[in-house]
Amino acid sequence: MQLYHHPYSLDSQKVRLALEERQIDYTSYHINPITGKNMGVSFFRMNPTATLPVFQNGSHIIFNTIEIIQYIERIAAVSSGAENFSPSGSEVLAWMNKIQEWNPKYFTLSHVPVNYRLFVSKFIRRVIIARMAEAPDLATSYHSKLRTAYETEEKLRNAEVLKHSEEHLVKLLDAVETKLSTTLYLAGEEFSLADVMLIPLLARLVLLKLEDKYINNRPHILEYWHEVQQRASYKKVIGMYFSGWRRQKTLIKTWCFLRFRSIMKRY
């Protein structure tokens, strides 16, 4: 089994947490979307959406995050020798879908300094154009991604888009806070796949240094956040890249790569 992912990718974190929690062995391939590696011709042929993560088991390839996690759940059941597989209950699935409905794209980018964001956006557009020249047969798909890149910048200048994204987030966090006032974890007293979906979202808020605004003022989420950071899966999937000084190391490494490639005009 192969997983194409990257530590920056929120959905990649969700899938990796599920794999670690279920103790499933897999081969890891890092595909950095900030440096445009997801636009590489071989990866793009496999997944023309260029989204992460991608899970492959033989000829079976899955792009949808929730479908990947449910597939992992089935694999874990088979591996454990369970004769009667019982998937996650309706409450777990409801929370998984509820969390996945919030798209972090515009919210995240709106909190990145404009000069950095525009630099990366310009770099990605140049990567797409370069890959288009390498694979003319994929030109239509690459052109679609190029158009999406321009549309993203337009939406980031639209105050209503950003307002809607934040309102959606606040509504979700308020629902989580209410739920955690009565249970230890999101779907009950045991850690579940619903928590696998929530943890990366909270980690993203911390990465953006927004914990005071969205986490610390919600006491039950704050207590939950301190608790889940102690899990081995969190430390391996998120903590080792973004805790303390590691956050700066991860970000600086990518930034230096982009600057070097831009100077050398190697896209």
Side-chain angles (χ1 to χ4, degrees), residues 243-261:
S243 292
W245 62 271
R246 294 180 182 87
R247 169 168 55 188
Q248 299 304 323
K249 179 183 177 182
T250 302
L251 296 174
I252 290 172
K253 182 179 179 181
T254 295
W255 181 247
C256 289
F257 177 91
L258 290 175
R259 293 294 298 177
F260 174 77
R261 285 300 184 97

Side-chain angles (χ1 to χ4, degrees), residues 17-242:
L17 283 171
L19 286 163
E20 295 300 329
E21 287 288 339
R22 294 296 188 262
Q23 298 182 337
I24 301 296
D25 292 329
Y26 62 98
T27 302
S28 170
Y29 295 99
H30 276 202
I31 306 290
N32 193 335
I34 297 180
T35 60
K37 293 301 182 182
N38 56 325
M39 299 296 174
V41 174
S42 59
F43 183 79
F44 203 70
R45 287 190 190 281
M46 178 175 65
N47 176 21
T49 67
T51 57
L52 295 172
V54 174
F55 185 83
Q56 183 175 12
N57 187 11
S59 61
H60 193 48
I61 301 175
I62 316 174
F63 310 132
N64 180 279
T65 299
I66 290 182
E67 289 180 7
I68 294 173
I69 292 174
Q70 290 176 317
Y71 187 79
I72 291 168
E73 186 179 31
R74 291 194 294 272
I75 291 174
V78 171
S79 300
S80 68
E83 294 183 2
N84 297 313
F85 169 63
S86 225
S88 294
S90 58
E91 184 178 11
V92 172
L93 187 57
W95 274 112
M96 290 172 67
N97 284 304
K98 190 179 185 72
I99 293 168
Q100 194 66 8
E101 284 170 3
W102 180 66
N103 185 344
K105 180 178 180 179
Y106 301 115
F107 180 86
T108 298
L109 291 175
S110 69
H111 288 88
V112 173
V114 175
N115 57 326
Y116 290 121
R117 192 186 78 218
L118 293 178
F119 178 84
V120 172
S121 178
K122 184 177 181 180
F123 182 89
I124 295 299
R125 293 197 301 271
R126 287 177 172 174
V127 168
I128 294 172
I129 292 170
R131 298 296 86 75
M132 196 185 303
E134 288 179 12
D137 59 309
L138 295 174
T140 300
S141 296
Y142 275 122
H143 190 270
S144 176
K145 297 303 295 184
L146 192 61
R147 184 169 59 251
T148 298
Y150 282 111
E151 289 173 352
T152 296
E153 286 305 318
E154 289 180 11
K155 288 183 178 180
L156 285 168
R157 291 190 289 269
N158 187 329
E160 284 301 313
V161 171
L162 303 182
K163 180 182 176 182
H164 175 73
S165 179
E166 182 177 19
E167 288 176 345
H168 191 166
L169 171 64
V170 169
K171 184 178 179 180
L172 173 60
L173 291 175
D174 286 344
V176 170
E177 175 69 7
T178 299
K179 177 61 178 178
L180 290 176
S181 69
T182 61
T183 59
L184 181 61
Y185 294 108
L186 191 52
E189 299 306 313
E190 295 184 2
F191 189 91
S192 72
L193 294 178
D195 300 291
V196 159
M197 300 290 290
L198 177 61
I199 292 171
L201 187 155
L202 299 179
R204 175 59 54 88
L205 295 175
V206 173
L207 177 64
L208 295 173
K209 299 181 179 179
L210 296 170
E211 58 266 46
D212 283 343
K213 185 174 181 180
Y214 297 104
I215 296 177
N216 296 346
N217 59 348
R218 293 176 170 86
H220 297 102
I221 290 181
L222 179 59
E223 182 180 358
Y224 170 89
W225 175 235
H226 289 320
E227 168 69 24
V228 297
Q229 286 181 85
Q230 305 310 310
R231 299 186 75 85
S233 61
Y234 170 86
K235 293 177 181 179
K236 184 172 183 178
V237 174
I238 300 174
M240 71 177 293
Y241 296 102
F242 298 111

